[in-house]
Amino acid sequence: SKWAMAISMFYGRSAKNEGLGSIFLKNINKRYVLISTIMLFSILALIISLFHDYVPENHIAFYILFLFVLFIFCRLAIIFFNKQFSGLTGDTLGAINEITELIFLLGVIIWSQLYI
């Protein structure tokens, strides 16, 4: 969900000139997005290596699919918030964080039910 926020901050624009959201949106660049993506893949690789006995065989497809789903959700959320609020705020970034957590957790539940 933090990766999704970094993606949203990179592609989004600030609704206001002041506030916590505008601070984040003004200071995000490609370097931060790259670092967050590398950290995400590093954590996933660590989890897979530690728990490889408990991870389904085609887990890589699951992670790639879900990263794509989360990326698409972020882009759609940006479009929605641009129409509703003329951009992103700290609250909308928090909403993106919470919703992407729910999407991922629901996906894990569905994925695990398919492989039990």
Side-chain angles (χ1 to χ4, degrees):
S1 64
K2 305 304 183 212
W3 176 78
M5 286 178 58
I7 296 295
S8 299
M9 287 187 278
F10 182 71
Y11 287 107
R13 67 174 189 260
S14 181
K16 303 184 287 186
N17 289 332
E18 70 280 343
L20 190 58
S22 67
I23 294 170
F24 289 119
L25 290 160
K26 288 177 187 174
N27 294 316
I28 193 82
N29 58 34
K30 289 180 184 180
R31 181 175 162 241
Y32 290 115
V33 174
L34 179 65
I35 290 170
S36 67
T37 303
I38 290 170
M39 288 177 63
L40 173 68
F41 282 111
S42 299
I43 291 169
L44 289 175
L46 179 65
I47 290 170
I48 290 168
S49 67
L50 291 175
F51 300 105
H52 60 83
D53 293 337
Y54 305 104
V55 178
E57 288 180 13
N58 42 355
H59 59 277
I60 296 173
F62 167 75
Y63 292 123
I64 291 172
L65 173 69
F66 263 81
L67 290 177
F68 180 73
V69 167
L70 293 179
F71 180 80
I72 296 299
F73 169 77
C74 291
R75 296 304 299 253
L76 293 174
I78 291 167
I79 292 168
F80 175 78
F81 290 133
N82 283 342
K83 287 182 182 178
Q84 295 296 317
F85 308 114
S86 301
L88 298 173
T89 64
D91 290 335
T92 59
L93 289 171
I96 289 170
N97 178 52
E98 296 299 321
I99 293 169
T100 54
E101 281 183 16
L102 285 173
I103 291 170
F104 183 77
L105 292 173
L106 288 172
V108 168
I109 291 170
I110 292 168
W111 188 263
S112 67
Q113 292 299 313
L114 293 174
Y115 287 98
I116 288 182

